[in-house]
Amino acid sequence: MAYQGFTQEYLGIPAVTRAYTTACVLTTAAVQLEFITPFQLYFNPDLIFRKFQIWRLITNFLFFGPLGFSFFFNMIFLYRYCRMLEEGSFRGRTADFVFMFLFGGFLMTLFGLFASLFFLGQAFTIMLVYVWSRRNPYIRMNFFGLLNFQAPFLPWVLMGFSLLLGNSIIIDLLGIAVGHIYYFLEDVFPNQPGGKKLLLTPGFLKLVFDTPEEDPNYNPLPEDQPANQPAADQDQNQQQQPPPQ
């Protein structure tokens, strides 16, 4: 029963959130069990372009450090705000959500080419938090029972908390910057006088991730209708069919 309950709960997580958080947990577990090392995962432009170790473009977003407070802290925020975005403003728009992942990852990778940043997962989490906070500006937040503030201040509170822990805030600033670029191009600029939507989700993503809408005018053939359909409905459908020419 416990296994079935866990499986049901796991499968109830939205697809993109489930895939990304699972990949992060499995990557950390593989490092912890010494199947792989962080040296095989970190972002290194020379190894990517000269040795063709293309996987580093993805794996640097999946590793959040060894098991510990920092890992669980990042996983909680990643899971929570990724899921709230996917179930909230991106509900029914999985392709647009995947495109936001690709857009944010692309900008962070470009920045990583010019800075000594080895893992970008934390910046990606901050980007998700930033986009969610700007789309929910009136929600009141409580941080460990110490601070009360509105949602748009959450990324800055997290950056301050990271600073108190002695971590570099470059990663947090990168996540905020990329999140703001996406938010401005997606939510602000199209609503300005003379503005237009610049971030257009490619059609192949919509084909892969979005289920096509059913045509309300589609009338199935009699042999395709369910066997238990009421006779009155079947007669009505037959009456709607045009007479043979």
Side-chain angles (χ1 to χ4, degrees):
M1 292 296 294
Y3 173 77
Q4 292 179 349
F6 172 79
T7 302
Q8 184 176 5
E9 181 66 24
Y10 177 75
L11 294 178
I13 301 173
V16 178
T17 302
R18 182 172 69 243
Y20 185 42
T21 53
T22 300
C24 293
V25 171
L26 291 179
T27 301
T28 301
V31 172
Q32 199 71 19
L33 295 173
E34 298 183 353
F35 292 144
I36 55 177
T37 70
F39 296 103
Q40 298 172 287
L41 306 174
Y42 76 99
F43 182 77
N44 186 318
D46 289 336
L47 294 178
I48 292 172
F49 297 111
R50 295 182 180 179
K51 300 293 184 179
F52 302 105
Q53 297 181 5
I54 306 299
W55 66 84
R56 294 179 184 272
L57 292 171
I58 299 175
T59 56
N60 78 92
F61 288 98
L62 303 180
F63 184 64
F64 288 81
L67 290 178
F69 174 79
S70 179
F71 170 77
F72 289 107
F73 184 82
N74 279 287
M75 282 296 97
I76 290 172
F77 274 83
L78 170 63
Y79 169 78
R80 175 177 173 82
Y81 292 98
C82 188
R83 180 168 185 169
M84 286 197 296
L85 274 176
E86 191 170 3
E87 292 182 335
S89 57
F90 286 99
R91 177 180 290 273
R93 299 168 52 217
T94 303
D96 293 338
F97 195 44
V98 172
F99 183 63
M100 186 189 77
F101 270 55
L102 297 176
F103 178 78
F106 175 74
L107 290 185
M108 292 179 190
T109 300
L110 282 182
F111 185 85
L113 293 174
F114 305 100
S116 297
L117 299 177
F118 303 119
F119 295 100
L120 298 171
Q122 183 177 340
F124 197 85
T125 300
I126 294 294
M127 181 196 74
L128 296 175
V129 171
Y130 184 91
V131 173
W132 177 88
S133 68
R134 295 303 299 266
R135 289 183 172 179
N136 299 272
Y138 303 110
I139 293 181
R140 296 289 298 176
M141 309 291 295
N142 183 283
F143 190 72
F144 291 135
L146 301 175
L147 294 175
N148 292 294
F149 51 88
Q150 288 183 302
F153 293 100
L154 179 58
W156 304 101
V157 171
L158 293 177
M159 186 182 71
F161 182 70
S162 180
L163 186 63
L164 288 176
L165 293 178
N167 300 325
S168 172
I169 62 173
I170 298 298
I171 288 289
D172 299 81
L173 288 174
L174 175 60
I176 290 173
V178 173
H180 182 74
I181 292 172
Y182 177 84
Y183 171 74
F184 178 81
L185 294 178
E186 180 70 12
D187 294 6
V188 178
F189 184 70
N191 297 318
Q192 300 295 316
K196 64 178 181 179
K197 188 175 176 63
L198 299 177
L199 298 180
L200 301 176
T201 303
F204 76 91
L205 290 180
K206 292 182 177 291
L207 185 64
V208 172
F209 293 103
D210 289 348
T211 56
E213 298 181 358
E214 294 184 0
D215 185 358
N217 298 319
Y218 173 69
N219 187 23
L221 296 174
E223 57 267 24
D224 294 333
Q225 296 178 5
N228 58 353
Q229 184 179 8
D233 292 345
Q234 295 181 3
D235 294 341
Q236 182 179 3
N237 290 333
Q238 292 176 357
Q239 292 174 4
Q240 293 177 351
Q241 297 178 359
Q245 298 295 330

